[in-house]
Amino acid sequence: MNLYTLVLDFHGGTYITQFDAATATDAVAAWCKELEDEQLLGDASFPVAEGIMVDAIENHLVEVEGLHGAWCAAASVNGALALLNVIITQRLD
């Protein structure tokens, strides 16, 4: 398992969380499930999670140019961009 840090920029807010997962895509799937279950963005939670999963799965996570171990996925929700960055993270313990 790897530790992934996920950073969502959406509607003027930045939301940061971490997940243990086998792959970056698995980390995104876990994040999307938590987003839907906990309704972390209120009414926007489901469409953001659904849009990010479609982008991450169907279009694959896009590696951030010039970086190693960093990917992104995006979705447009009611005219607002939801940009998710996924970064493999080193444990310090």
Side-chain angles (χ1 to χ4, degrees):
M1 294 290 250
N2 295 307
L3 179 65
Y4 293 92
T5 300
L6 290 84
V7 181
L8 174 70
D9 288 315
F10 178 67
H11 212 260
T14 302
Y15 308 87
I16 304 170
T17 192
Q18 293 182 313
F19 285 93
D20 285 307
T23 68
T25 303
D26 290 343
V28 171
W31 175 82
C32 287
K33 181 174 178 1
E34 181 176 278
L35 181 61
E36 290 177 342
D37 290 349
E38 302 296 325
Q39 291 292 292
L40 300 173
L41 300 174
D43 291 341
S45 297
F46 182 78
V48 167
E50 182 178 34
I52 292 291
M53 275 308 297
V54 166
D55 194 41
I57 300 298
E58 291 184 9
N59 299 327
H60 303 287
L61 287 172
V62 175
E63 198 163 17
V64 177
E65 188 174 336
L67 300 179
H68 298 281
W71 304 266
C72 68
S76 178
V77 177
N78 299 326
L81 177 66
L83 177 63
L84 180 69
N85 290 288
V86 182
I87 304 117
I88 195 163
T89 307
Q90 180 180 351
R91 293 180 191 278
L92 297 178
D93 36 79

